[in-house]
Amino acid sequence: MTGAPDAGPSRALLIGAGGYAALPALPAAVNNALALRDVLTSDAVLGVPPENCRVVLDPRARLVLSEAVREAAAAAQDTLLIYYSGHGIVDPEVDGLHLAAHDSDTGEIDLTALPYEWINRVLKASPATRRVIILDCCFSGLVLRNFGALGTDGTYILTATSASLPAHSPVGETHSAFSGALLQVLREGIPGAGPCLTLGRIYQAMCEILREAGRPQPRCLDGNGAGSLPFVGNPAHGAVRSPPLPPAPPPPQPWWRKVLPVVAGAGEAAAGAMRHPFGSARRAVTVALCLAAVVALGSRLWWPHHVEREVPPKTPVRAAVMEGDPRTADPCALLSPTSLSRFGDASIDPAYGAPERCDVLVKASDGEVTDVNAEFALTDTARAPTGVTRFQHVRVTMETADGSECDRDIGLPGGFHIAITAKQGKAADRCALADAVTDHAVDVLNAGPVPRRSAPSAASLMAKPACSLLDRTALGKVAWLGMPQPEPGFAGWSCAWDSDTAGAGVQLRFDLGQLDDLGQPTVLGGRRAYVLPANNGPDDCGVVVVHRVTDADGGDNAETVRLDVSAGRSMTQLCDAAKVFGTAVAGKLADT
């Protein structure tokens, strides 16, 4: 794939599945497909040759869907665009998205609806060098989950919503929310965006429209920069003209006629290299338009009596930014029990572990409880993320479930990230819950900065830097550990000392929660404490030092310091070292 798609052998397939035998009708789906055809064949946007743009309305069966996709994929040698508007059905056994046809039945999903997994295989076998997939259906974000296996090189996927949310088709409106926004951007263009629009710019404009309307946010996946290439003409380019200058100008000409002389020297030589994705010989004007944008924008061309005014940029939304004191970043504001109601009764627990973490506990109808937590952390720059997709201002990594938990990771600007972990409860629910929590957190972060909470009081453990609680004097009391350097964690609430001695180290972190069943009770430095042999395995011993009990009603919630010593030593040596360090920590707490 290059930035110069060949016009001739490209194909567009537009599917509007609005009528069903066993599912609710979606009249907007047919309207969407027909309106999109009119826009794509418009000279102002794409000028798709009619013979290269196939529209399939109310496909009778999944075979009709599959044959249409297969034919378009096989015929496209350059750019392939597939659009589907209709019902998205999720098969609970495989948690995969299926596209519905007229005879689709939720009781026989595997037999009556078309799995996107099959479409993906066809796309990967297509000779097309650029693939654009647009899905306007419920739970369409599911197709972005397995992006590592999608073969995403040269592929751009745009979905109406996330993996866990339904799409929105407002009652009484001609088009669905997602396709209505898409059509608005294609018809009206984007002022100040130049003569050509990229898929990435279209996506950003759609997000703004849908956010202002309070409707579900779309998702996208950009494979190998496909979203940054010129894709359609921009109808808003040149729409605002400056006042005429004396003497009175001649009758206005189409603005593209004024572009052609400017690029006359390079036009024919470069036209073949910068054709529009769906252009043809009759669309040489559109070719020249995009050529002018790529060749001449850098030198700010000005045409006689046709000056495009600078459009003042909007005040940028400082989305997903960690502003101010990290200790005031609020993980609980990223969670919404309401968004998880379909899984059971959900409630937030802000004191279930580390202070940079917040948990939502979801109790299913059978009584099983799944714990999903969101935790801020510093990004490990030494570990390059793999399998990452961008959702506007954040990046999401979807880890493979390991059997006991399901993990998602949201990357933020500035070296921060948020770990989403679902554990316990039903194995089938963990990743679905992790995705639902991730979806809500992504929407919150894309709408503005990281939410804030009050700063910790001076008496709180959270007001202290963890690394200050264990100094070199204390570390020197355990000779076999050496003298490792401290490495602070997020907000200074944790600290690690990794020794040069293989496998040896000390981990210290602050914690919130109850004091029941912590370990062997003891007293260290005059403070209530607990010893935990083999806390994290046979080569580890931990201690918990209580800073203060925080329940005003006499409960047992407390702020504690958790410290773990790990090394290839006997358990007696490990626990002795842990108690030495715990005593030092207790002394530091008494001094503050």
Side-chain angles (χ1 to χ4, degrees):
M1 180 190 68
T2 69
D6 189 358
S10 298
R11 296 293 184 273
L13 172 63
L14 312 178
I15 302 168
Y20 299 91
L23 298 171
L26 292 174
V30 171
N31 297 335
N32 293 341
L34 292 174
L36 187 58
R37 176 199 59 189
D38 293 343
V39 171
L40 296 182
T41 54
S42 165
D43 289 348
V45 181
L46 273 180
V48 182
E51 64 272 17
N52 287 0
C53 181
R54 181 182 178 186
V55 179
V56 176
L57 301 179
D58 293 335
R60 299 187 312 278
R62 82 173 195 171
L63 180 62
V64 177
L65 285 174
S66 62
E67 287 302 315
V69 172
R70 192 193 304 274
E71 290 174 9
Q77 301 293 315
D78 186 85
T79 299
L80 170 66
L81 185 151
I82 296 178
Y83 167 89
Y84 173 85
S85 179
H87 279 299
I89 307 175
V90 179
D91 186 341
E93 293 190 6
V94 298
D95 203 24
L97 181 72
H98 289 62
L99 306 184
H102 175 79
D103 67 355
S104 293
D105 189 334
T106 55
E108 295 183 313
I109 296 175
D110 57 333
L111 299 177
T112 61
L114 184 65
Y116 185 82
E117 205 171 284
W118 178 89
I119 297 176
N120 179 53
R121 291 198 297 270
V122 173
L123 294 177
K124 290 167 70 174
S126 172
T129 56
R130 176 160 66 172
R131 297 170 289 277
V132 180
I133 314 302
I134 304 175
L135 301 177
D136 187 358
C137 61
C138 294
F139 316 118
S140 47
L142 272 172
V143 305
L144 306 179
R145 277 189 184 175
N146 194 25
F147 48 78
L150 283 178
T152 55
D153 189 25
T155 300
Y156 192 92
I157 303 177
L158 181 58
T159 69
T161 186
S162 64
S164 61
L165 295 177
H168 191 36
S169 187
V171 176
E173 295 190 16
T174 304
H175 302 294
S176 63
F178 170 83
S179 291
L182 174 63
L183 290 165
Q184 179 180 336
V185 175
L186 294 179
R187 286 167 173 162
E188 299 178 6
I190 304 173
C196 289
L197 299 178
T198 66
L199 285 162
R201 189 65 186 87
I202 292 170
Y203 168 70
Q204 292 172 0
M206 290 176 64
C207 288
E208 293 176 7
I209 292 170
L210 292 166
R211 184 185 303 112
E212 290 176 0
R215 292 173 174 177
Q217 287 289 286
R219 299 287 190 266
C220 74
L221 172 65
D222 185 352
N224 196 30
S228 62
L229 300 176
F231 188 66
V232 298
N234 181 10
H237 182 69
V240 179
R241 299 172 182 252
S242 61
L245 300 175
Q253 303 177 27
W255 76 270
W256 46 264
R257 291 189 181 276
K258 299 172 184 176
V259 179
L260 291 176
V262 178
V263 295
E268 289 194 12
M274 282 304 301
R275 288 178 184 168
H276 200 279
F278 291 102
S280 62
R282 69 184 180 88
R283 294 298 303 132
V285 171
T286 304
V287 174
L289 168 64
C290 288
L291 174 63
V294 176
V295 173
L297 269 182
S299 58
R300 296 191 57 79
L301 293 182
W302 297 84
W303 294 281
H305 311 301
H306 183 80
V307 180
E308 181 176 338
R309 292 175 180 168
E310 291 272 350
V311 177
K314 293 183 178 180
T315 302
V317 176
R318 292 185 59 75
V321 176
M322 183 75 71
E323 294 182 327
D325 187 346
R327 297 177 301 174
T328 65
D330 188 0
C332 291
L334 302 175
L335 305 177
S336 169
T338 303
S339 69
L340 306 177
S341 58
R342 66 189 177 96
F343 297 98
D345 294 329
S347 60
I348 287 179
D349 189 335
Y352 207 71
E356 64 269 31
R357 158 182 165 176
C358 189
D359 293 59
V360 58
L361 305 178
V362 184
K363 185 176 182 179
S365 57
D366 60 2
E368 286 203 62
V369 177
T370 303
D371 175 16
V372 190
N373 65 70
E375 182 171 348
F376 290 111
L378 299 178
T379 300
D380 183 2
T381 56
R383 178 177 177 268
T386 58
V388 177
T389 189
R390 175 173 287 279
F391 296 135
Q392 285 185 268
H393 304 282
V394 301
R395 299 179 303 276
V396 176
T397 304
M398 301 183 185
E399 306 286 351
T400 302
D402 65 1
S404 61
E405 63 182 41
C406 189
D407 299 303
R408 303 289 183 253
D409 191 275
I410 303 175
L412 308 179
F416 300 99
H417 71 104
I418 302 167
I420 307 291
T421 302
K423 56 189 177 183
Q424 303 170 356
K426 296 179 180 178
D429 285 348
R430 288 182 201 135
C431 285
L433 278 163
D435 286 331
V437 169
T438 301
D439 291 340
H440 181 79
V442 165
D443 286 342
V444 171
L445 293 166
N446 278 327
V450 173
R452 317 308 293 184
R453 59 185 171 184
S454 300
S457 68
S460 171
L461 181 63
M462 313 316 154
K464 311 177 194 313
C467 290
S468 68
L469 299 183
L470 202 57
D471 57 23
R472 295 177 67 85
T473 300
L475 291 169
K477 293 180 179 179
V478 179
W480 50 262
L481 184 65
M483 198 63 67
Q485 294 298 311
E487 297 179 14
F490 178 83
W493 288 332
S494 64
C495 196
W497 293 264
D498 292 322
S499 172
D500 292 336
T501 305
V506 179
Q507 302 285 330
L508 185 152
R509 64 181 176 88
F510 298 160
D511 200 70
L512 300 171
Q514 296 184 335
L515 296 176
D516 54 337
D517 300 325
L518 286 182
Q520 302 169 4
T522 187
V523 175
L524 296 175
R527 286 186 174 266
R528 182 178 175 184
Y530 301 85
V531 180
L532 298 85
N535 186 35
N536 294 313
D539 296 327
D540 176 279
C541 185
V543 296
V544 176
V545 180
V546 179
H547 174 57
R548 64 171 183 162
V549 175
T550 56
D551 271 353
D553 58 2
D556 215 18
N557 276 343
E559 296 178 350
T560 61
V561 177
R562 288 180 174 260
L563 186 148
D564 289 280
V565 179
S566 58
R569 298 274 171 167
S570 69
M571 189 57 62
T572 298
Q573 289 177 302
L574 291 172
C575 288
D576 286 346
K579 286 186 279 189
V580 167
F581 295 148
T583 300
V585 167
K588 290 286 187 178
L589 293 176
D591 294 338
T592 58

